[in-house]
Amino acid sequence: DAGITQSPRYKITETGRQVTLMCHQTWSHSYMFWYRQDLGHGLRLIYYSAAADITDKGEVPDGYVVSRSKTENFPLTLESATRSQTSVYFCASSESSSGGRIAANTGELFFGEGSRLTVL
Amino acid sequence: QQQVKQSPQSLIVQKGGISIINCAYENTAFDYFPWYQQFPGKGPALLIAIRPDVSEKKEGRFTISFNKSAKQFSLHIMDSQPGDSATYFCAASINAVLRQGAQKLVFGQGTRLTINP
């Protein structure tokens, strides 16, 4: 079934370790996003990508790295995990409103089911 | 200026009642106001959205009311049902705030809605 999937769904790690959260979508959406969800803060944008090989920072990018070598995958890496990065991470995708490699996205986000990360 | 403030943080409503969640914003350049619904263990999903050229949009039991002059918008759930129990997020965005044509959605803090049977 087409959709957006995240893995792992749950992860416990220790401070200083590297962690990679995976995101895969089957819709061929141009845009992909990573958000973190924390109580009292709603959803905050970490990184986004408009197309393969094009990524950019959101509002809380520090401590995170992304890549997008293929349209369908958008992994998020915590290079050296900290306790403040304990959160639920959501990947999302969005389609373009018109044709072309870089076109405005429609605004509707399709979210994965989230990855709950605990950093001890 | 990029914030969207949502209230209340939690809300309990009896079955059949009206649930009302409010959001306020400062940036008058926002031009798209969606509401997302999130069930436990799931990602948020678009529920309903409005653009500022209309004051109200209704889809079934869900209505967005939009007050441009007050810079406020709200979600009304009529005849609330236990199945509506979820966390609701309001959001706002501006076209091309992010580079490369991406709309940046700014989310409110969320409201946990519980409908008692």
Side-chain angles (χ1 to χ4, degrees), chain B residues 8-96:
Chain B
Q9 200 167 23
S10 63
L11 179 63
I12 300 174
V13 175
Q14 292 299 118
K15 178 183 175 183
I18 302 173
S19 303
I20 301 174
I21 304 170
N22 300 299
C23 285
Y25 63 96
E26 289 295 323
N27 191 341
T28 55
F30 285 141
D31 60 3
Y32 173 67
F33 301 90
W35 285 88
Y36 280 78
Q37 180 188 53
Q38 182 184 30
F39 293 107
K42 302 293 185 182
L46 180 66
L47 181 64
I48 187 173
I50 196 169
R51 295 203 180 265
D53 51 344
V54 296
S55 60
E56 186 175 282
K57 183 173 182 180
K58 184 176 180 179
E59 289 185 3
R61 296 183 293 107
F62 299 89
T63 299
I64 300 179
S65 296
F66 185 78
N67 186 331
K68 191 173 182 177
S69 60
K71 292 184 283 187
Q72 295 175 347
F73 59 110
S74 59
L75 176 69
H76 295 237
I77 306 175
M78 311 299 289
D79 187 26
S80 299
Q81 299 297 311
D84 297 330
S85 297
T87 298
Y88 292 81
F89 292 96
C90 63
S93 77
I94 312 169
N95 254 327

Side-chain angles (χ1 to χ4, degrees), chain A residues 31 37 56 105 109 113, chain B residues 36 38 42 99-100 103:
Chain A
Y31 288 89
Q37 182 177 6
D56 218 332
N105 66 309
L109 296 178
E113 296 197 321
Chain B
Y36 280 78
Q38 182 184 30
K42 302 293 185 182
R99 291 192 289 174
Q100 305 143 15
Q103 289 196 38

Side-chain angles (χ1 to χ4, degrees), chain A residues 58-74:
Chain A
E59 57 185 302
V60 289
D62 293 344
Y64 303 96
V65 174
V66 293
S67 62
R68 195 161 176 214
S69 57
K70 294 183 178 180
T71 300
E72 60 267 30
N73 297 323
F74 191 39

Side-chain angles (χ1 to χ4, degrees), chain A residues 19-107:
Chain A
V19 176
T20 296
L21 305 180
M22 305 300 293
C23 179
H24 176 79
Q25 54 107 351
T26 59
W27 290 306
S28 298
H29 285 171
S30 296
Y31 288 89
M32 295 189 76
F33 304 82
W34 273 106
Y35 285 87
R36 60 177 290 174
Q37 182 177 6
D38 304 288
L39 196 63
H41 291 278
L43 292 148
R44 292 181 291 176
L45 182 63
I46 304 171
Y47 268 96
Y48 66 99
S49 168
D53 298 322
I54 300 176
T55 63
D56 218 332
K57 296 178 180 179
E59 57 185 302
V60 289
D62 293 344
Y64 303 96
V65 174
V66 293
S67 62
R68 195 161 176 214
S69 57
K70 294 183 178 180
T71 300
E72 60 267 30
N73 297 323
F74 191 39
L76 175 73
T77 298
L78 289 67
E79 293 188 298
S80 179
T82 65
R83 290 197 180 91
S84 65
Q85 292 178 310
T86 292
S87 186
V88 181
Y89 292 85
F90 286 98
C91 180
S93 69
S94 179
E95 59 187 0
S96 299
S97 59
S98 60
R101 185 164 183 260
I102 305 290
N105 66 309
T106 59

